[in-house]
Amino acid sequence: MRNKAIFSSPFFLSISLGIMCWLLVFIIFPIKVVFPISSEVVVYILLSYVSIITGYLVVPDGKYSKHSNQTIIGPPMIKVLILVVLLSFLIRYIDLFIFRGVRISYPIAQNRMLIDANTPKFIFILVSVTRYLFFVPILLLFQSKIKSKKLLIFCLLLFLLPFIEGVVRGSRNSFFYPSILLIFSLLYFKKIKFKKLHLGVLLLVFSMLFVMATGILKKREMIKKQDYKSLTTDAIYNDFLKPKKSVLEKIHGLENIKTKQLLISGLQTGQYYTHGVFEFDNLLKTYHKNDSLNFQFGKYNFLNFIKFTNKLGITHFDLSKIKKANPRGYSFTTFFGGLYIDIGWYGLVFMFFFGAFQKHIYNLVQRQKIELLPLLIFFLFLNFFMLSFNFLRGNGVSMIMASLMFILVVYVKNKITLKKQLNH
């Protein structure tokens, strides 16, 4: 029974479902591998999974007691957190729309140029970090078992706030990760069960996201009304993972433009989701060919943090050199590719301790240390997408920093409360 409980834990579900989902997309979508994948990549990925699972299993299950110190978070704190998130997004959009001059009506290319050309002021960077706590209020609401429809609605509305930036920047990711985080949160608290109604709602949500992604892709690439061939011939994914020729011919032979657009976008979604493994393979081959591997020792994955410390004058790293560690720029190389860039085969050691750390966090959450729940949910989210995206990099760094800030605030609040109780 104990083994059954372990393997049905959120950790194992996030790992196993992530692998199965990647394999399912790769098998179903009509795409073919351009270059044979090397055995080194396969071994690295397999051993990475073995390492993280071993690390998780090594840490014993926590022992819980009714008298364990519990973190109690009520509606007042959730309301304050909602206001903090709203204020943080407001400051973010003041920066974008007023100081950097972006507009929803502008072409996406123009908005991206304005964002890149005008670096944000330090205060905007600092204050807007807390916007990444948008998924935390609903976790606290469910964990504390608070029954409030109004509060639940406000918590759900927070997940829509990143969508505005997604429209402005033409970023599918801004629609993608908030929606998946919400689904993960609902699954964790068993608000979603594998019933027909729930599966139907999930299908509807993914269909809506797919349509949004299609619209963004069309605007971002500035495709002419009748021209969709560029998406299937010039896309970066095609270098290592091509759509099957027979399928392309059928799609391009269709007369209905909207149907053609949806099919091409769907095809690209499959490539988008699975191509990271083959990018990682190319990364290793490029390093071996040019003998050019220089470990970044965390600078690659935590580039956003390096940008922050550079701005403070604490560090003076050459950002362009760090970015060039990936020979194909911003292409996805899976979670493992980023790990390899930073520490090579020592990544297996990292994975072991990462698994052990996740078990430790899980044990503490089981003891009602609610302040650690956002970090746990983010790790589960990261586990699921390891074969596709590296959420440790980019937004992930900001989410970890925001979660740590939240943990610190709760810790300080609890200390103050305890001190007052002792004084009385």
Side-chain angles (χ1 to χ4, degrees):
M1 289 296 290
R2 181 179 173 274
N3 288 339
K4 187 178 179 181
I6 289 173
F7 289 103
S8 63
S9 69
F11 170 82
F12 279 101
L13 287 174
S14 66
I15 294 284
S16 58
L17 289 175
I19 294 170
M20 285 190 289
C21 191
W22 189 93
L23 288 171
L24 189 66
V25 172
F26 181 70
I27 292 167
I28 289 175
F29 276 74
I31 44 183
K32 63 177 182 178
V33 179
V34 176
F35 303 107
I37 194 166
S38 65
S39 57
E40 185 178 3
V41 165
V42 175
V43 170
Y44 189 94
I45 291 173
L46 286 175
L47 289 181
S48 292
Y49 276 120
V50 170
S51 296
I52 192 173
I53 291 169
T54 304
Y56 187 87
L57 292 175
V58 161
V59 177
D61 293 338
K63 294 180 180 179
Y64 317 119
S65 167
K66 290 182 180 179
H67 304 290
S68 298
N69 293 328
Q70 297 181 359
T71 303
I72 300 172
I73 295 176
M77 190 169 182
I78 295 173
K79 289 175 184 177
V80 169
L81 186 57
I82 289 171
L83 288 173
V84 168
V85 173
L86 287 171
L87 181 62
S88 187
F89 270 103
L90 177 63
I91 290 168
R92 172 62 175 173
Y93 291 130
I94 286 172
D95 174 35
L96 290 178
F97 288 100
I98 296 177
F99 288 92
R100 298 209 234 177
V102 304
R103 297 286 183 274
I104 290 177
S105 58
Y106 286 173
I108 287 169
Q110 185 177 347
N111 281 333
R112 287 192 167 200
M113 184 184 69
L114 287 168
I115 291 169
D116 293 338
N118 301 291
T119 54
K121 297 181 186 299
F122 173 72
I123 187 65
F124 287 134
I125 298 173
L126 190 63
V127 176
S128 68
V129 168
T130 51
R131 76 185 190 273
Y132 289 99
L133 293 173
F134 67 88
F135 70 104
V136 177
I138 202 166
L139 299 179
L140 303 180
L141 191 75
F142 289 150
Q143 184 71 23
S144 302
K145 297 180 181 178
I146 297 168
K147 305 292 183 182
S148 171
K149 287 185 179 179
K150 287 183 180 179
L151 212 51
L152 176 61
I153 289 168
F154 274 106
C155 291
L156 289 170
L157 288 174
L158 294 181
F159 285 85
L160 299 176
L161 294 176
F163 288 14
I164 300 170
E165 188 165 348
V167 172
V168 168
R169 297 174 68 104
S171 170
R172 288 177 288 187
N173 197 37
S174 296
F175 292 90
F176 179 73
Y177 81 88
S179 304
I180 303 300
L181 267 174
L182 175 58
I183 290 168
F184 263 71
S185 303
L186 295 172
L187 284 170
Y188 182 84
F189 288 102
K190 298 179 181 178
K191 302 294 180 181
I192 295 177
K193 296 178 181 177
F194 293 99
K195 295 180 179 178
K196 287 182 180 180
L197 178 61
H198 290 174
L199 290 173
V201 171
L202 281 177
L203 184 62
L204 179 63
V205 169
F206 280 113
S207 299
M208 289 171 65
L209 286 172
F210 178 67
V211 171
M212 287 179 187
T214 301
I216 286 171
L217 190 64
K218 182 180 176 182
K219 287 180 181 178
R220 194 171 75 190
E221 302 295 336
M222 292 183 293
I223 307 164
K224 294 176 184 177
K225 192 173 181 181
Q226 302 294 331
D227 179 22
Y228 297 94
K229 287 192 175 181
S230 61
L231 285 177
T232 49
T233 55
D234 302 334
I236 191 172
Y237 326 118
N238 292 359
D239 294 341
F240 307 116
L241 202 60
K242 279 188 174 181
K244 290 183 178 178
K245 191 176 179 181
S246 57
V247 174
L248 283 183
E249 288 174 353
K250 288 179 181 178
I251 291 174
H252 291 308
L254 295 172
E255 293 183 3
N256 189 300
I257 298 300
K258 288 185 178 179
T259 304
K260 187 186 291 188
Q261 181 184 346
L262 284 170
L263 287 173
I264 288 173
S265 184
L267 196 57
Q268 279 221 316
T269 301
Q271 290 175 282
Y272 180 77
Y273 191 78
T274 55
H275 84 285
V277 170
F278 307 96
E279 290 282 354
F280 179 28
D281 180 57
N282 175 70
L283 174 77
L284 284 185
K285 287 173 180 174
T286 302
Y287 279 155
H288 293 329
K289 183 180 178 181
N290 301 331
D291 194 25
S292 58
L293 175 60
N294 292 308
F295 293 152
Q296 295 300 312
F297 299 106
K299 296 194 296 292
Y300 182 78
N301 273 309
F302 295 96
L303 182 64
N304 277 7
F305 185 72
I306 297 298
K307 288 178 181 177
F308 183 70
T309 55
N310 270 11
K311 200 164 186 67
L312 288 176
I314 298 171
T315 57
H316 301 89
F317 291 111
D318 187 339
L319 299 179
S320 62
K321 284 186 178 180
I322 298 172
K323 291 174 184 177
K324 287 177 183 175
N326 179 358
R328 279 170 57 84
Y330 288 100
S331 62
F332 299 131
T333 57
T334 73
F335 178 85
F336 309 106
L339 199 59
Y340 191 90
I341 288 171
D342 271 335
I343 50 177
W345 281 89
Y346 292 103
L348 301 182
V349 179
F350 170 86
M351 292 298 283
F352 174 84
F353 285 106
F354 187 41
F357 183 62
Q358 287 195 48
K359 181 63 172 293
H360 179 62
I361 295 291
Y362 180 70
N363 285 340
L364 290 174
V365 170
Q366 293 295 97
R367 289 170 55 191
Q368 296 301 308
K369 297 292 184 182
I370 302 177
E371 66 271 26
L372 296 171
L373 185 56
L375 201 58
L376 176 65
I377 295 295
F378 173 70
F379 287 154
L380 297 175
F381 175 77
L382 191 152
N383 291 344
F384 183 87
F385 289 105
M386 278 183 173
L387 280 172
S388 301
F389 315 116
N390 183 6
F391 279 109
L392 187 63
R393 196 166 185 261
N395 289 337
V397 175
S398 301
M399 293 182 83
I400 290 172
M401 288 176 66
S403 297
L404 293 175
M405 287 168 65
F406 175 70
I407 292 167
L408 179 62
V409 168
V410 174
Y411 175 79
V412 171
K413 177 184 174 293
N414 288 344
K415 285 289 182 183
I416 292 170
T417 304
L418 184 62
K419 192 174 180 180
K420 285 181 179 178
Q421 289 173 349
L422 290 173
N423 290 336
H424 287 292

